[in-house]
Amino acid sequence: MLIPKSHPRAASLHIREKLVQGYRNGLVVEEGLMAHGRGEMFDYLIGEKTTKYSQDAINAAARELLLARSPVISVNGNFAALCPKEIVQLSKITGSKIEVNLFYASEKRKKAIAKILTKNGANQVYGLEPKFSTKIPKLDSARRIVDKRGIFLADVVLVPLEDGDRTIALKKFGKKVIAFDLNPLSRTAQVADITIVDNVVRAMHVLIQTCTILKQKKLGKYKFDNKKNLDQTIVAIRKNLERLSHA
Ligand code: PTJ
């Protein structure tokens, strides 16, 4: 579909088109389209832009990734469809491994996701070879299957569009979790160590820029209060709602 540049929601419609294309190419599941719709609603409420609270969370996330011993970027269908190039860029800047981890797991989709990441420059994609797979405890979904060399060993895991159960399981397993989630009220958002309440497409660009700048600097102590940041985001959404309902 041709979306005119002048359309007030052009950026958002382009993101939607990318996801639909990802569905047609076998990267995204039907449920992923629905999850995206939910995200769009929250994106509308935050003003379809990177807020200052999202930028604060991104600053904290960049530091965690750059200081981590063994960071991993966890990739699902939606993330691979929306940001394949950016996933590889971020992994190279931060020295993070890339691991495919799916809720609705299938070998065919894992391979399609690995293929698009490789096409975008990934040297190695974890989570594909059964001989390296193991389980994280206290989790029933397919997402419990992880790579011994990747998420299992990681100290910091970056997760996009996550389900709450895995975030809780990863936390119980001692991992530091950075989440992208447009819904500040979701269990993932509430449980993660750092929640970036932003569209993953915008936020990945900002995260890459931030990591590139911070990589040149000596990183000192940095305080980040996720609960406070989420509360401030919710207040900003309330204000937006008031403004929109009086417009
Ligand atoms: O590819 P799979 O098999 O791993 O499946 C992935 C989905 C997304 C289907 C699965 O993880 C799922 O069902 O996710 P949920 O539980 O619906 O959660 C998705 C969360 O991501 C929701 O809170 C949405 O608001 C949020 N979200 C959706 N689109 C975006 C987003 N957050 C950031 N950027 C987006 N583009």
Side-chain angles (χ1 to χ4, degrees), residues 15 27 29 31-32 35-36 38-40 42 76-78 82 101-105 109 113 143 160-164 180-183 186 198-201:
I15 297 174
L27 302 171
V29 277
E31 291 83 350
H36 186 78
R38 187 140 56 118
E40 278 189 354
F42 283 102
N76 68 5
N78 289 42
L82 293 175
N101 181 278
L102 303 177
F103 188 82
Y104 300 101
R109 203 153 63 89
I113 292 170
R143 277 187 160 162
L161 290 87
E162 190 70 15
D163 65 285
F180 290 109
D181 197 329
L182 276 161
N183 177 3
S186 77
D198 201 353
N199 197 306
V200 76
V201 175

Side-chain angles (χ1 to χ4, degrees), residues 87-114:
I87 292 168
V88 178
Q89 281 176 347
L90 185 68
S91 106
K92 289 191 174 159
I93 294 168
T94 58
S96 301
K97 290 174 184 155
I98 301 175
E99 178 165 338
V100 180
N101 181 278
L102 303 177
F103 188 82
Y104 300 101
S106 89
E107 291 311 309
K108 196 172 165 205
R109 203 153 63 89
K110 276 188 196 170
K111 282 193 186 130
I113 292 170

Side-chain angles (χ1 to χ4, degrees), residues 7-72:
H7 192 289
R9 297 192 57 240
S12 168
L13 293 178
H14 273 295
I15 297 174
R16 188 187 286 179
E17 282 300 305
K18 245 181 146 177
L19 199 78
V20 170
Q21 205 51 53
Y23 170 69
R24 290 187 184 131
N25 293 340
L27 302 171
V28 175
V29 277
E30 282 96 341
E31 291 83 350
L33 299 176
M34 292 182 216
H36 186 78
R38 187 140 56 118
E40 278 189 354
M41 188 272 287
F42 283 102
D43 207 1
Y44 183 71
L45 294 181
I46 65 164
E48 293 178 342
K49 63 174 196 301
T50 298
T51 66
K52 62 175 185 257
Y53 308 114
S54 164
Q55 179 69 68
D56 285 348
I58 288 171
N59 289 344
R63 282 178 158 78
E64 283 296 340
L65 286 170
L66 290 169
L67 292 172
R69 170 185 46 79
S70 186
V72 173

Side-chain angles (χ1 to χ4, degrees), residues 39 51 61 64 79 93 116 123 126 175 193:
T51 66
E64 283 296 340
F79 196 27
I93 294 168
I116 190 159
N123 297 324
Y126 294 84
K175 312 294 177 191
D193 295 280

